[in-house]
Amino acid sequence: MADSSNPKPAETAGPAQSAASKPASKPVNPAFRMMGLPNIKFRLPSRNWMIFWTITGSFTAALIYDRREKRRAQQKWCDLVAHLSKETLPVEQMRRKITVFLAAPPGDGLRVARDHFKEYVKPILVAAAVDYQVIEGRREGEVRAGLAEQIRKTRRRAGEPSSVVEEPSVEGVVYDTRTHLGITDEPGPKGDLVIGRHTWKEYIRGLHEGWLGPLDPPPAPTEDEQQPQQPPSSPAPEDGAPETPEKQEDTTPSEEPKKEEEKKKKPTGPTPTYLPTSAYDLQPLPPTLPATLDGSVPIAFPHLLGFLNTPIRIYRYLNRRHLADEIGRDVAALVLASSSRPYTETTPDSSESLTPSSDPTPIPEQQTILATAERDWHKSVHRTDETQPDKEREWLDPIVLDPRLASRMHRYIVSPEEESRATRIASGEEYIRGEERPAPVPVWQRLWVKYGYGEDEATLQRRPILGNLDNEDGE
């Protein structure tokens, strides 16, 4: 009888073969073992990790590429105008100053517009050392009121009669002081920089109001016009008894505080317009109107809100290099002011007209500039005020032009010579006018200068050389 406790040869051979078939595990690195780290094995990531790293890496690569090309485009236009910062001025002259018009985009605040100006426009102005003043508007109509008032002040200083007594301000004191000391502005064109379609519509409106409107404010509306229509009085009682004097005494004291509060209330919103658009043709040209107005440059300001517009916003976020190149070209044209052209008129296509036989009317270019930006405006802008349906809306109303002023407007452009020079600067063939391109600096040296204790060559050259102050040589 066989002993059942003894294992069979097949049973004993199974575990031995399985142990021999398994490869010996790789010994753990002694350094990792001393640090308590596991034995790291390199292998392909799983399906989910592959999806995650592909999406994240693609988005990061697109973002890094776009920001690098954006910096290159801005640096190209900065180098194009940087030679202006090396020019010297006499002591009695002030640097050329341009005017920047900035307004909060529809449905958002002013901070977004300021960030847009600092990111795309200001680097080029700083590179050219051009001074600028900003006319801002937080609400609709403030840019129009600010520009119109600035033009009216210019007309008053030129000698046009006016009964308005200007209040003393810092700007007036500075202007009078510079005039007394004989300080003048740098000779040459100035220029206006308008950011956004909504600001452009206010700019055109304020330009017409300032030059064609009166210098004195229109008369205030009478009390009858200001007083709203009162509801019909309650009917008298049936018995015809008059009201008791006690009730009349109770209502009299409550009306007096209301009148005092109305007097103390300050006007809210921008200054009302001095001239409606329908009266442009009836106004004569002022004698101080120049033959050519200052050149203007409208700047694109794409601003889109809404959760459903997220795909479009992501696309714009990853293609800012094109916007930086477009804005840089326009700002450089204004800074150089070497070439300009008048605003033209465009003829609409016959396919868009209702009747093919109708004679198409030419449309001025000022009315169609940046017109596509209105499609991105928030829907809250298009709501009308039911209490004041006839109130003027600078953003929604169509642009009305007077031919006498429209013919005096012109736009700065980059000349073909400057355009070709910008192309050579981008390719590395040329640098700032009058300077040689510096030698390339290694990456480690740039990081050491920026984040470490290193100093670049320009800083070392400016460092003063001190002599033997401690008399260490025994002299």
Side-chain angles (χ1 to χ4, degrees):
M1 182 175 175
D3 189 2
S4 60
S5 61
N6 295 331
K8 295 181 180 180
E11 295 177 357
T12 56
Q17 291 179 359
S18 62
S21 62
K22 289 183 179 180
S25 60
K26 188 177 181 180
V28 182
N29 192 327
F32 290 167
R33 186 175 65 252
M34 297 296 293
M35 296 173 61
L37 298 177
N39 188 14
I40 302 175
K41 297 180 180 180
F42 295 97
R43 59 182 180 180
L44 292 176
S46 62
R47 169 181 169 272
N48 295 339
W49 277 111
M50 286 288 289
I51 295 173
F52 171 77
W53 288 118
T54 301
I55 296 176
T56 306
S58 302
F59 185 85
T60 305
L63 181 62
I64 293 175
Y65 172 77
D66 179 72
R67 294 303 180 266
R68 186 189 66 176
E69 295 299 322
K70 172 189 169 184
R71 288 193 299 269
R72 288 182 177 179
Q74 285 187 336
Q75 190 63 37
K76 174 184 67 174
W77 298 112
C78 289
D79 294 343
L80 182 67
V81 301
H83 66 278
L84 299 177
S85 62
K86 309 297 181 181
E87 298 178 355
T88 58
L89 289 176
V91 181
E92 66 277 1
Q93 283 188 4
M94 296 293 297
R95 185 60 171 156
R96 174 194 174 198
K97 179 181 290 187
I98 66 175
T99 306
V100 179
F101 296 90
L102 193 66
D108 212 330
L110 185 60
R111 182 183 59 83
V112 182
R114 288 176 176 174
D115 294 342
H116 184 78
F117 167 75
K118 293 178 181 178
E119 185 176 0
Y120 296 99
V121 179
K122 188 176 180 180
I124 302 175
L125 300 181
V126 172
V130 175
D131 194 7
Y132 61 90
Q133 61 176 348
V134 183
I135 296 180
E136 293 183 343
R138 297 181 180 273
R139 289 175 293 183
E140 182 180 1
E142 291 186 357
V143 172
R144 183 266 311 161
L147 175 59
E149 184 61 28
Q150 186 182 36
I151 296 175
R152 285 192 288 265
K153 288 182 180 179
T154 304
R155 293 171 58 185
R156 294 190 192 102
R157 291 172 181 172
E160 292 192 29
S162 175
S163 60
V164 177
V165 179
E166 296 185 5
E167 299 180 357
S169 60
V170 178
E171 297 179 358
V173 173
V174 172
Y175 177 80
D176 296 339
T177 304
R178 289 176 178 174
T179 304
H180 178 70
L181 297 177
I183 300 176
T184 59
D185 296 334
E186 180 183 3
K190 294 183 179 180
D192 299 332
L193 189 67
V194 188
I195 300 178
R197 168 72 176 181
H198 59 292
T199 314
W200 175 256
K201 299 183 81 170
E202 292 193 41
Y203 171 79
I204 296 295
R205 184 70 177 91
L207 201 67
H208 285 73
E209 179 185 345
W211 286 114
L212 299 180
L215 296 180
D216 300 335
T222 60
E223 296 181 357
D224 297 339
E225 297 177 356
Q226 290 182 349
Q227 185 177 5
Q229 295 181 357
Q230 298 181 355
S233 58
S234 57
E238 296 179 357
D239 54 359
E243 294 183 356
T244 58
E246 296 179 357
K247 293 183 179 180
Q248 295 179 358
E249 292 178 359
D250 294 342
T251 57
T252 304
S254 61
E255 293 177 356
E256 293 180 356
K258 291 182 180 179
K259 292 181 179 179
E260 293 179 358
E261 291 179 0
E262 291 178 357
K263 293 180 180 179
K264 293 180 180 179
K265 285 183 179 179
K266 296 182 179 180
T268 58
T271 307
T273 178
Y274 286 17
L275 180 69
T277 56
S278 58
Y280 284 171
D281 300 336
L282 306 177
Q283 299 295 324
L285 294 178
T288 56
L289 178 65
T292 303
L293 299 176
D294 292 335
S296 57
V297 174
I299 298 297
F301 183 18
H303 185 69
L304 185 63
L305 298 176
F307 177 76
L308 298 179
N309 296 322
T310 301
I312 302 176
R313 298 173 65 181
I314 292 177
Y315 175 80
R316 293 181 179 179
Y317 182 74
L318 297 177
N319 288 273
R320 290 187 175 180
R321 58 187 182 276
H322 305 298
L323 180 63
D325 187 55
E326 178 186 354
I327 294 178
R329 178 182 289 102
D330 294 336
V331 178
L334 175 62
V335 171
L336 295 173
S338 59
S339 179
S340 64
R341 63 168 179 83
Y343 286 96
T344 59
E345 294 183 352
T346 58
T347 304
D349 298 337
S350 59
S351 58
E352 298 179 359
S353 59
L354 298 178
T355 57
S357 60
S358 61
D359 187 13
T361 304
I363 301 176
E365 185 183 358
Q366 294 95 320
Q367 295 181 353
T368 59
I369 288 178
L370 305 176
T372 56
E374 295 189 15
R375 294 179 296 185
D376 297 342
W377 290 357
H378 196 261
K379 59 183 179 181
S380 61
V381 183
H382 300 276
R383 297 173 184 170
T384 57
D385 190 359
E386 297 180 357
T387 59
Q388 298 177 349
D390 298 335
K391 181 182 178 181
E392 182 181 4
R393 298 292 304 275
E394 288 85 355
W395 293 352
L396 299 182
D397 296 343
I399 296 178
V400 180
L401 294 171
D402 186 271
R404 297 171 295 177
L405 284 184
S407 60
R408 287 174 164 83
M409 298 178 62
H410 62 103
R411 177 175 182 172
Y412 289 115
I413 58 174
V414 179
S415 61
E417 295 79 9
E418 299 294 344
E419 188 75 34
S420 60
R421 192 165 74 90
T423 305
R424 293 193 299 270
I425 291 175
S427 61
E429 301 175 4
E430 195 172 340
Y431 194 53
I432 300 174
R433 183 173 294 174
E435 298 183 12
E436 296 182 359
R437 184 178 295 275
V441 182
V443 177
W444 67 267
Q445 189 173 356
R446 290 201 304 266
L447 296 176
W448 177 246
V449 170
K450 186 175 182 180
Y451 301 104
Y453 298 95
E455 295 180 348
D456 54 354
E457 295 182 359
T459 305
L460 293 175
Q461 292 177 1
R462 292 194 301 266
R463 175 181 292 180
I465 301 176
L466 302 178
N468 186 15
L469 301 180
D470 298 333
N471 196 15
E472 295 179 356
D473 298 338
E475 297 179 358

